[in-house]
């Protein structure tokens, strides 16, 4: 009886076709950005997938230098991977610094019409992250996220 209930409650995973013939690398553009208010350094990635199907949504992930097997691992770097069938997975070697994951600091967008995947992130400033850690006491005032002028997909409220 437990086996039947376990079979009913299993999550439905998307079917991944491992036998897809890769058609090459997608087009890409990488832009260095700096927030004028916080002086945070960031990167904007625009990856173009013109032959991707309507059901496919590109994926991304950060990978530590020790996970990859192409180069000798170097703790100074990490890799940002982008993948969408039927294209080859592309990886970008970036500094191994803490990524600021707060709202407005890290965002991605998939435009189905132009078939362009856009991802932007900022690295945490060392001085900024130290003050954020100090302001976590019971008497601290929560810091509201600022409007990001470099992010066209977030509107100020």
């Amino acid at each position: 009886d437990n086996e039947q209930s376990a079979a009913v409650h299993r999550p439905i995973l998307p079917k991944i076709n491992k036998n897809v013939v890769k058609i090459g690398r997608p087009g890409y553009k990488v832009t260095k950005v700096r927030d004028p208010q916080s002086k945070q350094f960031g990167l904007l990635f625009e990856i173009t997938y013109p032959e991707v199907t309507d059901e496919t949504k590109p994926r991304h992930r950060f990978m530590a230098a020790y996970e990859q097997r192409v180069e000798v691992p170097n703790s100074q770097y990490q890799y940002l991977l982008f993948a969408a069938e039927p294209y080859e997975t592309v990886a970008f070697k970036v500094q191994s610094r803490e990524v600021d994951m707060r709202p407005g600091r890290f965002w991605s967008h998939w435009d189905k019409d132009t078939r362009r995947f856009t991802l932007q992130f900022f690295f945490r400033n060392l001085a900024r992250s130290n003050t954020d850690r100090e302001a976590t006491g019971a008497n601290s005032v929560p810091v509201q996220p600022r409007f990001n002028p470099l992010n066209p997909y977030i509107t100020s409220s």
Side-chain angles (χ1 to χ4, degrees), residues 20-26 49-52 84-88:
V20 174
V21 176
K22 302 292 184 183
I23 62 171
R25 293 188 186 116
Y49 296 102
E51 302 296 324
V52 79
E85 297 294 345
Y87 290 92
E88 294 177 17

Side-chain angles (χ1 to χ4, degrees), residues 15-88:
K15 183 179 177 187
I16 299 173
N17 189 359
K18 300 259 183 198
N19 297 328
V20 174
V21 176
K22 302 292 184 183
I23 62 171
R25 293 188 186 116
Y28 63 89
K29 178 181 175 185
V30 181
T31 307
K32 295 178 184 178
V33 293
R34 185 171 300 274
D35 186 289
Q37 295 172 334
S38 67
K39 305 293 188 227
Q40 284 179 290
F41 172 73
L43 294 168
L44 171 68
F45 293 88
E46 296 175 279
I47 315 293
T48 307
Y49 296 102
E51 302 296 324
V52 79
T53 63
D54 288 336
E55 302 85 38
T56 304
K57 182 178 178 188
R59 297 172 295 154
H60 70 278
R61 85 173 190 97
F62 285 92
M63 182 171 74
Y66 298 100
E67 293 181 69
Q68 56 87 26
R69 301 283 179 244
V70 177
E71 297 180 350
V72 176
N74 183 343
S75 63
Q76 298 292 312
Y77 297 99
Q78 62 186 334
Y79 297 85
L80 177 57
L81 281 66
F82 294 94
E85 297 294 345
Y87 290 92
E88 294 177 17

Side-chain angles (χ1 to χ4, degrees), residues 88-122:
E88 294 177 17
T89 300
V90 291
F92 296 90
K93 190 175 183 178
V94 298
Q95 297 173 6
S96 186
R97 293 173 48 197
E98 184 180 1
V99 174
D100 192 346
M101 300 299 273
R102 292 178 296 170
R105 308 273 81 194
F106 183 96
W107 58 270
S108 64
H109 176 71
W110 170 237
D111 187 341
K112 286 184 179 182
D113 297 330
T114 62
R115 299 190 194 275
R116 177 175 292 157
F117 183 72
T118 307
L119 181 136
Q120 179 177 294
F121 69 89
F122 288 93

